[in-house]
Amino acid sequence: MFRFFKYFFGEYKEYIVLIFLLISSLSFISVNDHESTKNIRAFFFGTFALVTSFASDVLNIGDLKDQNQKLRDQNARLMLEVNRLREFGIANEELKKLLGVRDTSTHSLIYAQVISKSFSSSQGTVTINIGTEAGIKPGMPVITSEGLVGIVENCSEDFSIVQTLQNMNLRIAVLNQRSRAHGILRWNGEFLTITNLPKTADVKVGDRFIVSELSSLVMLPLPIGIVTEIVDPEKGIFNDLIIDPFVDFVKIQNLFVLNLQEREIKNNKELNFFNRFE
Amino acid sequence: MIAKHFHPLIIFFPLLAIQLLIVPLLSINSVVPDLILILLVFYTLQTGQIYGTILGFILGLFTDLITGNILGSMMFAKTLSGFVAGYFYNENKKSHYFNSYLFLLIVLLCALIDSVAFTLISSFDISKNIIMIIFEQGILPAIYTAVVASLIVFFYPKRNFD
C-alpha cells in the first residue's frame, strides 16, 4: 500500500500539488469576510502602501502644476455655485422654520490622495493615504468634486483600500433625479449598469442618477452619472441601463472621505453590510 | 542554492509597486500588461513545473492581499498559469527560450489562461457573452503582456555563462 502511494505520488506529484493548491485557493475565497483575514490584509496593504506612498509622491510632483491649474478653475466654478446655493440655503432655512423641520445632517470631509490603483478591470480598488488614525472606518463613502467614487473597504492605521464603483462586489441603490425611479447600480466588468428596471419606469437617455435615499451604504444624494444607453428597450419586461459615471476612475488622484456622523440606533437596525459602530 | 528560489519573491515587491503605480499610466482602454505573470513564467521556465505552481500560488496570495482583490482569485489564476508554464520547462532549452520569440508565445498562453481564470473566478456574469468576456478581459491583456515580455527577449544576454 505504502509503495503504491509512493509510486502514485512520484508519478503524479505535479498534479497532486496543483490540485491541492487550487483547492486551497478556492477555500480562501470563502474566508474573505473573516475578521482575521481582514486584519492580515490590513497589515499587508498597510505595509506595502507605506513604501509605495513615497514613490507615489515623487511621481505626482510632475502633475502638480497641471493639478493647480485645474483646481483654480474648479475653485472659480465652485465659488459661483456656492453663491447660488447660498441663496437657496437661506430660502430653505426660512421654509424649514415655517414647517418646524430641524436640519440633522452633519458630515465633514477628510482629504486623501490615491497611492495605488488595482490592475483588475473587474475588481476596481484604490489605496488611499489615510486610515484609522484619521478617523476612517470601513463603509465611509469616498467622493471627488464630480461625484461618488466608492466605499472604504478595509483600513490599516495609515492607509485604506477603497472599493470603487468599478468593482463587481459593490452595489448601490440609485435614483433617477428627474423621474425619481429607483434602481441598483453595479459594475459588470465593462460598464456601470442599472439592471432589471421595470419597463414602466420613466427613464430617458441623458437622465442623471444620484445615490438613493434608500441606500444604507451612502446616505447622501451624491451624483453617480448619466444614462447613455437603454439596452434593448423592445425586449423583455425589464430595462437595463448603461451609465456614464461623472468620476473619471483612471485619473482620480485627490479624494475626500465623507466622515458621516450617523445615529447608532439607525445603523444597528438597518441590514447594513458595513456596520460602522461595531 | 536555496536562496536562489527566493529571488522571484525579492523581485516581486518592487515589480508589484511598478504594476500598481506606473503600469496604469500605460493602460490602453483600461487594458494593462501583467508584469507579475512575466516574472512567474520567467522563473518557472528556469526552475520547473512544481516550483512554478507553488510560486504562482505565493505570488497570487501576496497580490490578493495587497491589491484588495477577492482573496483566492489571483492565487487560483497564477497557480494555474505557473503549472501551464511548467510544461515548457526544459533544462537544455532554458537560454533558447529567452533568446527566441517562443518565450512570448508561452507568456501569451499563460497570460490568456491567467486572465480567463481570474475573470471566471472573480467576475463571472451569466448575463454577459462569454466570448466577449474572454476577448476583452482575456485576450487583450494577454497580448499586451506578451508585447511587454518581448523586452526580456530583447535584453536577455545572447550568451549564457551558466
Side-chain angles (χ1 to χ4, degrees), chain B residues 65-80:
Chain B
L65 284 172
I66 289 167
T67 59
N69 288 336
I70 296 172
L71 192 61
S73 54
M74 195 61 92
M75 284 160 78
F76 185 90
K78 290 279 184 285
T79 304
L80 209 55

Side-chain angles (χ1 to χ4, degrees), chain A residues 15 32 41 115 123 125 168, chain B residues 21 67 69-70 87 122-123:
Chain A
Y15 297 96
N32 256 285
R41 178 169 274 183
I115 289 174
Q123 295 180 40
T125 57
M168 294 187 82
Chain B
L21 292 171
T67 59
N69 288 336
I70 296 172
Y87 269 118
S122 65
S123 57

